[in-house]
Structures are given as structure tokens and as C-alpha cells.
Amino acid sequence: MKSDNRQRVKGEALLEIRGLRIEGNSDGVWHPIVKGVDLTLKRGEVLGLIGESGAGKSTIGLAAMGFARPGCRIVDGAIMFDGIDLRAAPEDAKRKLWGARIAYVAQSAAASFNPAHRLIDQTVETAVRDGLMTRDKAVADAIDLYGRLQLPNPRTIGERYPHQVSGGQLQRAMTAMAMSCRPDLIIFDEPTTALDVTTQVEVLAAMRNIVEEFHTAAIYITHDLAVVAQMADRIMVLRHGLEVEEAPTREMLREPREDYTKTLWAVRKLAKEESISDDVTLSVRNVDASYSGVVKVLDNVTVSLPRGRTVAVVGESGSGKSTLARAITGLLPPARGEILFNGKPLPRALKDRDKDTLRRIQMIYQSADTSLNPKQTVRDILGRPLEFYHAVKGAARDRKVAELLDSIELDESYIDRLPGELSGGQKQRISIARALAAGPDIIICDEVTSALDQIVQEEILTLLMKLQKDTNVSYLFITHDIATVRAISDEIVVMHRGKVVQQGPKTQVLNPPFPAYTELLLSSVPQMDPDWLTNLLAERARAKVKA
Amino acid sequence: MHPVLKTVLQRLGLGLLTLFVVSVLIFASLEMLPGGFAQAILGQGATPETVAAFNRELGLDRPATIRYLEWIWNVLHGNFGYSYAGAGGSIKKSVSAIIAPRLYNTFFLAIMTAVIAVPLALFLGIMAALYRNSLYDRAVNAVTLTTIATPEFFIAYLLMFFLAIKVRWFPSLSTVSEDTSFLEHIYRAALPAITLTLVIVAHMMRMTRAALINLLSSPYMEMARLKGVSQRDAVIQHALPNAWAPIATVIAFNLAYLVVGVVVVEVVFVYPGIGQLMVDSVSSRNMPVVQACALIFAATYILLNLSADIVSIVTNPRLLHPK
């Protein structure tokens, strides 16, 4: 457990991957996922793998352990870990390495911890099973790791079950679990993607420190360049299963060579010109709402939405953003307060609203996968609101559907496709068209770009802005992503624990002076600067000392 | 209040309500059947006067609601009434005395079968999940499906033919009385127990297998594997603790069947259980006995389902250790 070596002295090569090819099976056909990737990792070095989804990042990360998910197979190439050929090694030999010398930290700690066992039992499992430590020693060590990872109550937190601790704490506990045998290599597979930005900062800091402290080599997989910039010594950009380029972090950020790498910055440059209007279409006044009747999920919330403008509602999970949407749509009638729509009070409950009111407020959800009926063709999905709200039938309906497809920049040939035959971005376009079909005044967008890659995100945001220009629709845009907020909003509402912290024009909210929570939220958004995390932590430490 | 205790109390309350509804339903449906105890006993040739006299003797001439209320009042005081059979004469037999030995026999057979069938089904199911899609998996699925698809009386006769007549290991008839010793009872009840085992194993085994396989693709199972846990330990230590709830439900369902649904097997082996008693009592309209049997059956279902619920709470830390 000696870890005085705080300098990143890189040792000899620990992991060498040459000409790696992996295939995946879908519907009985094998198609390539990884098409010949080389990778070298030295002891104590952190390599960032970045790329959009489908680039093969996770598949390569798992292959570095000699593991392929069911439905995948490693077809070619060499994987050498510290002189051991992982492709040739039998399952038993690999099992001895897994957990002990190569550890894995998964994206969703909530799903990757076994709900039936206490954290401590899962943390020490490998060390005790492999006989590396006695249970008592392993438990004492785990408590030490919990402490180093800044978990609250390190002595007792291990007694808890996974559902009893928060997502950020679980992610740190998973890092402790990975660290328990002091592995030579840890694979971090999008470990902070599911976390709020404010939580992400702490988890990133904890992970970075512990990896440095124990001089562990790591592969850090993410789609977020700013995050990887904080963590990695070197970055490898992947696309469609091939390496695009590889360079030391600072060099890569300063001057990316390839066009594709440059486009990864693009969404961050997309920004709407702010435009303010006093013509309010929807006004939420002093609204309280709760699910159980006990805990207020919305607490005295007042928000107004001007016609033809975009108001972004931003906050971390549990801040009440989505509940606000449910209160406006009538799915969750507010306990107190009123909602004015075009100057008239909206009936609280969905069932009391007439068809025309329903038509005027539409919603788009985060996951187009689950909000589109998989058994309906695009014709039916878009035709249904046309028939229901506008009584258009037959050929006239099909003409309208074709117009809608045109407005979302999809070809008419998509009309007979099922959602399963569309890409993620195309599905989200269909969701947008479905909302548009009603001819609404307001569209509530609930995290509509969160599940998409950055490039697709940019396309969807551009489309939404174009549609707003054409139809003068208002958007209430719910998101946790500050870059998206910057890109699309005219006004911003910051929410925290069910309360509105701040509402105002974008330039005002995003510029100082900040209310305390807004400042915390904005400062937690990772920046491309590789020193961002270090500086931020130093600054926060100073502020703490001052306080 | 502790969640387990709360659920138990809730379910017991609901269970009492269910028992009440069951008793009303059974009473009402027997009332609706044509004929009555008197006709059934006296035969078609009986004159209306005799029937009326007989009914007066038993108190059956009074309105059904009064009779029902009187019956339930007695039940609430622990008195299940007297059998109609022999009611006029000197030997007045209480329902409890009639049912008790039969119930003992039924529970004896049910427990004996459960002791064989449940561990067997769990073992076969876990192995099938572990070696899924292997030859073993397919064979055990095929065999258990065959036994569940074959009518139980047919299995009973087959077993009787081979095990009782050909190799003479067990007696073909399972007659037992109150004097039969415990070991003798086991010996005599062996064939019905084996028959019932073959009938119920498939369902429990397939549910065990399905519940486990359902979990194998979950992220924490992949995590277990990437922590170097062997396939066997992963299934037993990581999947099984999360799979108890559905397995317990199916086990409870099958154990209830062992108490309430075995009349065919009882008839084939002439085993004096409660199923036969109830069928006989229905055909003779012997209301007190039928009612008591129905209540026992309903209570069995309720208690077994309650145990399954308790298992699912106790094995689920989310419910046992709330936030």
C-alpha cells in the first residue's frame, strides 16, 4: 500500500493490443464492431477512449480484459496483458486475473451492484475469494478505501445495501471495489455518465486521486471530451470501430488533427441569439405539487414562458424539472397555485381539459425508443394526432404526414417504416413531428437530446430552432446539460430541490453575479481545459477555508 | 411498524375476508344445486312428507340466510357443526371428528411430497440454468414436461404397474388408518407421493430456471463475472438471492395444489384424504362437511401465498431495509 510515488512515472508496457477485430451478432448475422485497433498502455498511465456510441469504446475496454459480451466475439488480433496472452488464456486463467489484477468500473453503479448483498460484502468479495487477504483485513482495507474516496461514514457505509446510498456514492463504492485488490489495470466504462454534474466533480476527483495514489494504469471510456481531459494522460478518438487519432491530452486539445475530432467540439459552439419577449403564453404561479402528499416535489414554483421563445429548465436529478412538466400537462394536478395559459387558468387535471387545450400543449420525451409504439409505422404515429385533433383522413392525411416528414428533414420514403428501422436521431425527429402534428402553442421537451450523441444532438437542436422560427412555437426545454442550455435557450430557469433558484434571460443567468446554487452548477460543468478540475478543486478548497 | 409485520397483518386481514367470501359462495352454490341432503339420502322414491320431516329434523326448513348466520356464528366459536349423515340417529358425529383424520392424511402426503419435490425441483432448476441449452437442460425439460402433460391418473397406474406389481417395492393401495405407524404410513404413501412429485416438479423447476436465466443478463451478473466469480458461484450467490420471490410464489402455488387438488390420486390409490371426503359430501349435499373442507382449502391457499409474500420481502433488501 505504498503510494508515495505521486509523480506519474510511466513504467514499461502493461497492456498491448494489436490488430484487434471484434464482431457483433444481430439477427444471426455477424458484422464488425471493432475493425483493427492497436493500443498500448504503460504501467500507471491513464488512456482516454472517446467517441460517439457505436464507436466500439466499451467493446475495446472489455476486450482489454479478454472478455467479449454475449453476442460479440473477438475474431482477430493479440491482447497481451503483462506477458499473458488473454486471447489464448483459458477462462479459468482469466478469472484469476479479473477483479484481482484487472478490474472493471461500470457505467451504472446502481445496476452493477447486486441488490441482494451489502456493499462491504461485494467490495471484499474478490480479495477474500482469491485468498489475497483475510476477510477482516479486507474489510479494514475497504474502510480505508471508502475514506480515501471521500465516502461519508466510511466505517458504516459498507453495511448498507446498494439502494440505500446515492448514485454518486455507489460509483465511488464501485471504485473502492475495483481498487480492493490493488489491480494493475482498471477499466472505467463511462463511470460518471449517469451522474449529475455537481456529483460528477466529486466522483472524478476521487477516482483521479486514487488511481494516482496507487499508480494504477487505467482505460477511461467516455463520450465527453471535457471529462476525459481531466482524467487521461493520453486520448484515443474512435469512430466506427477504428482509431481516428491518438495524442497526449494537452496536444489533442490544443490541436486536433482530424476533422472528425474537430466536430466533437461543434455542439459546444452552437448558440442561439437570445431574444426576449413579454408576450407570455404560459404562466405557472406559486405551484406546489407532490406525489405522496407529504414531500413537496414542487415548492412554490413560478415560471413564465413567452410566445415563440425557449425557456430552458435546468437542474440536477430530483430538482423537480420533470415534475414541473407533469404539472403543466395535467398528469400531476398541482396541490396549490395556478397555471395560466394564454391568460386563462388551465384546468388542473388532464381529464378536465378540452381537446383544443390538449392540442395546444404537446410533449416530447427523452427516450424515443419507449415513447413511440414499436408496432406502428411512421404513417400511423404521425397520422393519429392529425386525425384526432384535425379530423384529416385518407389521402389528405397522408399528404400532411409527408409535409411533416419534410419539415423534420426526413424523406417521404420513411412513411412506412417502423421505429425499429430508424436510428436514434431519426426516432427523436419522429417524436418531434408527432408533437408538431397537433399544431401546438407549446412543446415541452423533457431531456430530448440526453440519450443522443453530440453530433446528433446538434442536428436535433438545430431542427428545433428552425421549427420555432417557422411556427412560432414555444419550448419549455428541460435538461441537465448546460451546453444544451447555452445552445437553445432565450431564458433560463434554474431549479434545485423543487424550488426555482433563478429565472431570467440567458445572458443574465449565465453571467455573474450568481446565486450560490447556480454558481455551483455552472462551475461543475467540465471544461476542455485539462487543468479545470485541479483548479476548481483548489478554488473550492480555498473558499471552504475562507468560510 | 416493520414492513414484514405490516404485510403479514394486512394479508391475514384480507385472508379472513376471503374466507368469509368463500364460505358465502360455497353455501350459496350448494343452495342453488337441485335437490338436497334429504333427497340424496332418501332416494327418488321418497314422499314429499318424509322429505319435509327429514328437513325439519335437520333444521333445513328454515331460510338459508338464518342457517348460514347460525353456521358462521358457531364457526366463530370454534364449532364446525355436525355432519348431516347420521344426524337423526344416536350417533351424532361432529364435523371436526370426521375431518381431522382425513386432514392428517392429506397433510402427511402433502408434506412428504413437498420434502421430495421442492429440493429436487430447485436442484434441477439451478442446474438447468447453469448448463442452459445443454443436453442436460433439454433432457430435464423434456422429461418434466412429459410428466406434467401426462394425466396424473395415468402416471399413477403406470407407477402402480411397474413399482407395485412388477418389482413389488411398494403396495399398490395406500390404505392407512389411525393405527398405522409413521414409517408404515410413509411406505404406504410412497406411490401417491412419487406420482404427485412427478406432477409438480416441472412447474417449479421451470420457474427456478427461468427466474435465474432472467437475471443472468443483468449488469450485476456481468460485474460478478468481471470480478472473477465462477459461473457456478455467480448463479448461486449472485442470481439466486434475487430470484427467490418468483420461485417462492410458484412453490406456494404447487404446495397448495398438494392439499386441495389431489382427489384423483387419492381415488386411484384409495388413500383416505380430504379430497375424497369433500367430493362425497358434495354429492350427498352434506353442507357442514363441505363448508369446513372449503374453508380449509381457502385457508391453505391464503397461508401459503402469505408465506410466499414473506419470502419475497425477506429476500428483498429494498423492502426489508427501507432507505
Side-chain angles (χ1 to χ4, degrees):
Chain A
M1 247 205 270
K2 256 182 28 202
S3 57
D4 306 327
N5 190 358
R6 285 183 182 262
Q7 261 187 328
R8 292 268 186 108
V9 182
K10 310 298 176 273
E12 74 281 21
L14 176 69
L15 176 76
E16 270 188 272
I17 294 179
R18 290 288 168 266
L20 180 67
R21 286 173 187 280
I22 302 174
E23 289 181 346
N25 192 326
S26 71
D27 301 326
V29 185
W30 291 97
H31 56 93
I33 298 177
V34 176
K35 304 163 188 165
V37 166
D38 297 341
L39 180 160
T40 307
L41 187 67
K42 299 196 186 87
R43 280 187 186 278
E45 185 184 34
V46 179
L47 173 71
L49 287 187
I50 96 150
E52 58 196 278
S53 59
K57 312 182 292 286
S58 294
T59 313
I60 295 174
L62 289 170
M65 305 181 76
F67 178 78
R69 288 214 163 104
C72 289
R73 63 179 186 194
I74 300 172
V75 284
D76 197 19
I79 306 164
M80 299 295 290
F81 171 79
D82 201 16
I84 304 163
D85 181 352
L86 289 184
R87 277 202 69 199
E91 182 84 10
D92 276 353
K94 286 192 281 189
R95 217 165 29 228
K96 287 210 181 75
L97 293 177
W98 292 345
R101 296 195 59 201
I102 315 177
Y104 181 71
V105 175
Q107 172 169 359
S108 166
S112 298
F113 268 110
N114 191 325
H117 299 302
R118 294 176 196 276
L119 293 180
I120 191 76
D121 294 329
Q122 303 193 52
T123 307
V124 303
E125 185 178 7
T126 307
V128 173
R129 185 200 59 228
D130 287 356
L132 298 175
M133 289 178 223
T134 62
R135 194 188 144 87
D136 287 345
K137 190 161 174 302
V139 167
D141 183 60
I143 290 170
D144 174 56
L145 285 172
Y146 291 155
R148 286 167 190 263
L149 286 159
Q150 315 268 306
L151 280 163
N153 310 318
R155 299 213 147 270
T156 51
I157 195 167
E159 295 304 311
R160 305 192 137 234
Y161 285 93
H163 72 274
Q164 293 175 306
V165 305
S166 73
Q169 292 171 357
L170 268 186
Q171 203 57 269
R172 277 176 276 171
M174 180 160 284
T175 307
M177 180 160 90
M179 232 359 133
S180 67
C181 297
R182 302 293 182 276
D184 300 308
L185 171 63
I186 299 186
I187 314 290
F188 290 100
D189 192 354
E190 304 253 13
T192 61
T193 305
L195 303 177
D196 287 312
V197 277
T198 46
T199 320
Q200 176 172 266
V201 171
E202 298 158 18
V203 175
L204 285 178
M207 284 175 173
R208 193 172 73 171
N209 288 344
I210 201 139
V211 166
E212 242 167 65
E213 206 159 335
F214 295 118
H215 203 62
T216 314
I219 293 180
Y220 195 97
I221 297 164
T222 177
H223 64 271
D224 190 336
L225 250 179
V227 165
V228 85
Q230 314 310 315
M231 305 299 287
D233 302 312
R234 254 186 322 140
I235 295 177
M236 179 189 277
V237 182
L238 292 161
R239 189 186 196 196
H240 303 325
L242 282 169
E243 179 187 317
V244 176
E245 63 177 307
E246 191 195 327
T249 302
R250 282 167 198 279
E251 198 176 305
M252 171 81 81
L253 290 172
R254 209 167 43 235
E255 39 193 342
R257 289 191 304 272
E258 302 295 321
D259 288 341
Y260 175 71
T261 315
K262 289 172 190 160
T263 64
L264 289 174
W265 275 254
V267 76
R268 297 169 188 277
K269 291 185 184 141
L270 183 75
K272 184 184 175 182
E273 191 96 350
E274 167 188 317
S275 152
I276 303 302
S277 161
D278 290 334
D279 179 14
V280 172
T281 174
L282 184 88
S283 164
V284 178
R285 293 190 182 169
N286 308 100
V287 161
D288 283 3
S290 87
Y291 291 101
S292 57
V294 190
V295 187
K296 277 189 198 169
V297 186
L298 294 181
D299 188 354
N300 199 15
V301 166
T302 299
V303 169
S304 65
L305 177 59
R307 196 179 310 281
R309 299 294 186 274
T310 302
V311 172
V313 181
V314 58
E316 53 196 79
S317 55
S319 62
K321 312 187 291 290
S322 293
T323 309
L324 176 62
R326 291 175 65 86
I328 293 170
T329 52
L331 289 168
L332 181 73
R336 198 175 66 87
E338 60 175 356
I339 301 173
L340 298 179
F341 180 49
N342 293 333
K344 278 176 283 187
L346 263 183
R348 280 161 194 270
L350 191 63
K351 63 177 181 355
D352 301 329
R353 298 186 183 175
D354 58 34
K355 213 183 205 180
D356 193 54
T357 313
L358 295 178
R359 177 182 72 77
R360 287 166 184 275
I361 305 180
Q362 292 291 314
M363 184 134 184
I364 309 172
Y365 295 91
Q366 172 171 2
S367 164
D369 278 325
T370 50
S371 68
L372 298 179
N373 186 333
K375 297 279 185 214
Q376 285 184 345
T377 61
V378 168
R379 185 196 304 273
D380 295 332
I381 293 171
L382 300 184
R384 168 74 186 154
L386 290 171
E387 272 178 34
F388 183 75
Y389 292 118
H390 302 292
V392 211
K393 290 207 169 64
R397 187 188 78 157
D398 283 359
R399 247 192 332 274
K400 282 289 283 179
V401 170
E403 279 171 31
L404 282 168
L405 283 176
D406 187 51
S407 71
I408 55 165
E409 294 155 4
L410 285 183
D411 201 286
E412 218 175 301
S413 64
Y414 283 90
I415 198 162
D416 286 315
R417 298 242 193 136
L418 291 168
E421 298 164 327
L422 301 172
S423 73
Q426 288 169 341
K427 274 183 267 194
Q428 202 55 286
R429 281 168 190 265
I430 298 297
S431 305
I432 294 171
R434 179 173 61 181
L436 279 183
D441 295 352
I442 296 174
I443 299 182
I444 299 174
C445 304
D446 191 355
E447 302 271 11
V448 292
T449 55
S450 304
L452 303 173
D453 291 318
Q454 290 194 17
I455 291 166
V456 185
Q457 268 186 25
E458 189 194 351
E459 290 167 6
I460 295 286
L461 294 177
T462 313
L463 173 68
L464 285 170
M465 284 191 255
K466 186 200 100 176
L467 293 172
Q468 186 167 52
K469 213 177 270 171
D470 295 349
T471 61
N472 205 33
V473 67
S474 313
Y475 296 128
L476 189 72
F477 201 96
I478 296 168
T479 182
H480 68 272
D481 182 27
I482 304 291
T484 309
V485 172
R486 255 181 240 279
I488 197 164
S489 66
D490 296 299
E491 289 189 30
I492 300 176
V493 174
V494 181
M495 290 190 70
H496 182 49
R497 297 191 182 157
K499 289 196 167 91
V500 172
V501 177
Q502 198 181 6
Q503 167 160 18
K506 171 163 64 179
T507 41
Q508 183 197 323
V509 174
L510 294 182
N511 288 300
F514 301 115
Y517 178 71
T518 310
E519 170 145 36
L520 175 72
L521 190 67
L522 292 178
S523 70
S524 300
V525 178
Q527 305 294 316
M528 287 297 180
D529 173 11
D531 297 321
W532 166 79
L533 183 62
T534 315
N535 294 341
L536 176 72
L537 293 172
E539 205 172 293
R540 287 193 182 169
R542 271 200 304 277
K544 217 178 202 173
V545 171
K546 229 189 271 172
Chain B
M1 201 190 309
H2 199 276
V4 180
L5 193 62
K6 195 172 157 196
T7 308
V8 171
L9 291 178
Q10 260 173 4
R11 295 298 154 91
L12 281 179
L14 279 175
L16 284 177
L17 190 71
T18 313
L19 285 183
F20 172 71
V21 174
V22 164
S23 73
V24 172
L25 283 179
I26 294 285
F27 194 89
S29 50
L30 282 178
E31 277 303 309
M32 276 187 277
L33 286 180
F37 183 71
Q39 278 95 335
I41 290 298
L42 299 173
Q44 300 219 323
T47 61
E49 292 78 32
T50 7
V51 170
F54 202 93
N55 278 341
R56 201 161 39 247
E57 183 85 16
L58 289 170
L60 292 176
D61 53 341
R62 291 171 304 151
T65 34
I66 302 281
R67 278 183 283 132
Y68 177 76
L69 289 176
E70 184 185 271
W71 173 79
I72 199 121
W73 177 258
N74 286 333
V75 168
L76 289 177
H77 290 79
N79 176 7
F80 283 86
Y82 295 91
S83 167
Y84 290 168
S90 52
I91 13 146
K92 210 176 169 192
K93 241 183 153 186
S94 81
V95 171
S96 321
I98 294 176
I99 287 184
R102 297 294 197 108
L103 193 60
Y104 170 79
N105 290 343
T106 291
F107 277 130
F108 191 98
L109 179 58
I111 291 169
M112 181 171 161
T113 310
V115 166
I116 304 169
V118 174
L120 181 67
L122 287 178
F123 175 76
L124 293 177
I126 291 171
M127 296 297 280
L130 206 50
Y131 302 106
R132 62 194 168 286
N133 305 330
S134 68
L135 198 62
Y136 161 80
D137 182 23
R138 269 173 270 175
V140 78
N141 261 308
V143 171
T144 52
L145 270 185
T146 311
T147 60
I148 203 176
T150 316
E152 46 193 316
F153 71 86
F154 186 69
I155 297 179
Y157 284 126
L158 276 183
L159 288 178
M160 205 186 275
F161 180 74
F162 286 107
L163 298 185
I165 296 168
K166 287 286 172 194
V167 297
R168 293 170 179 272
W169 287 351
F170 301 109
S172 59
L173 295 186
S174 309
T175 43
V176 291
S177 70
E178 280 161 47
D179 309 326
T180 314
S181 75
F182 185 75
L183 288 177
E184 179 74 11
H185 200 144
I186 290 181
Y187 174 64
R188 287 181 181 243
L191 279 187
I194 296 171
T195 309
L196 288 171
T197 299
L198 289 177
V199 173
I200 67 168
V201 145
H203 195 188
M204 295 190 287
M205 169 257 157
R206 289 171 69 82
M207 184 45 111
T208 307
R209 176 184 182 276
L212 288 173
I213 287 182
N214 199 14
L215 295 174
L216 292 184
S217 59
S218 58
Y220 60 81
M221 292 303 292
E222 183 180 276
M223 191 69 215
R225 202 157 163 223
L226 293 176
K227 281 164 75 181
V229 178
S230 71
Q231 184 76 348
R232 201 197 61 183
D233 288 353
V235 166
I236 293 171
Q237 291 169 10
H238 286 268
L240 197 56
N242 293 290
W244 283 124
I247 297 175
T249 308
V250 166
I251 290 179
F253 180 83
N254 279 286
L255 294 188
Y257 169 81
L258 289 180
V259 175
V260 309
V262 296
V263 62
V264 173
V265 174
E266 286 178 7
V267 170
V268 171
F269 291 103
V270 202
Y271 185 77
I274 203 169
Q276 272 201 59
L277 176 68
M278 183 158 176
V279 170
D280 292 346
S281 307
V282 170
S283 53
S284 68
R285 309 285 191 277
N286 196 342
M287 192 82 74
V289 179
V290 176
Q291 286 281 47
C293 290
L295 285 187
I296 288 169
F297 288 177
T300 307
Y301 261 110
I302 290 164
L303 289 176
L304 283 168
N305 276 313
L306 176 65
S307 340
D309 286 341
I310 293 175
V311 169
S312 30
I313 294 175
V314 173
T315 58
N316 185 347
R318 281 172 191 277
L319 301 173
L320 197 62
H321 307 275
K323 277 192 180 180

